[in-house]
């Protein structure tokens, strides 16, 4: 899937919209995580819209995302991110 080329349902706001690939463990952290218990998770991604993707990276840095938000469940259960995803879900596509 190419970034912003494929339509589908965003895993976080549930809108039908162009999707981007979000690495659950940011690529910048891969070298530091190799050979750790998270090594098997390095290639895991979720497909989310650009607005949700930008929100995740706005609220948390790569180190925090790698350690605390490395699954869709953890991302979805975070209060700050959940509020952002709810706001995005009410916006029209292309308005953000």
């Amino acid at each position: 899937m190419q970034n912003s080329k494929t339509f589908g349902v965003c895993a976080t706001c549930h809108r039908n919209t162009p999707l981007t690939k979000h690495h659950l463990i940011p690529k910048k952290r891969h070298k530091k995580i190799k050979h750790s218990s998270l090594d098997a998770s390095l290639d895991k991604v979720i497909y989310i819209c650009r607005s949700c993707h930008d929100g995740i990276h706005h609220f948390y840095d790569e180190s925090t995302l790698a350690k605390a938000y490395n699954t869709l469940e953890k991302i979805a259960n975070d209060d700050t991110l959940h509020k952002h995803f709810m706001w995005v879900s009410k916006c029209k596509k292309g308005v953000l």
Side-chain angles (χ1 to χ4, degrees), residues 1 6-7 43 54 57 61 77 82 89-90:
M1 175 178 293
T6 302
F7 273 75
D43 295 326
D54 290 346
H57 288 282
D61 63 38
N77 288 332
H82 180 74
S89 73
K90 295 174 183 164

Side-chain angles (χ1 to χ4, degrees), residues 1-24 43-54 56 71-72 75 85:
M1 175 178 293
Q2 298 280 328
N3 281 349
S4 296
K5 301 268 186 194
T6 302
F7 273 75
V9 176
C10 175
T12 51
C13 73
H14 309 292
R15 293 182 309 152
N16 191 29
T17 187
L19 300 175
T20 63
K21 191 181 339 182
H22 171 71
H23 291 86
L24 290 171
D43 295 326
K44 292 189 179 178
V45 297
I46 56 174
Y47 294 96
I48 57 178
C49 69
R50 173 52 52 200
S51 299
C52 290
H53 202 163
D54 290 346
I56 290 170
T71 68
L72 176 57
I75 289 170
F85 302 148

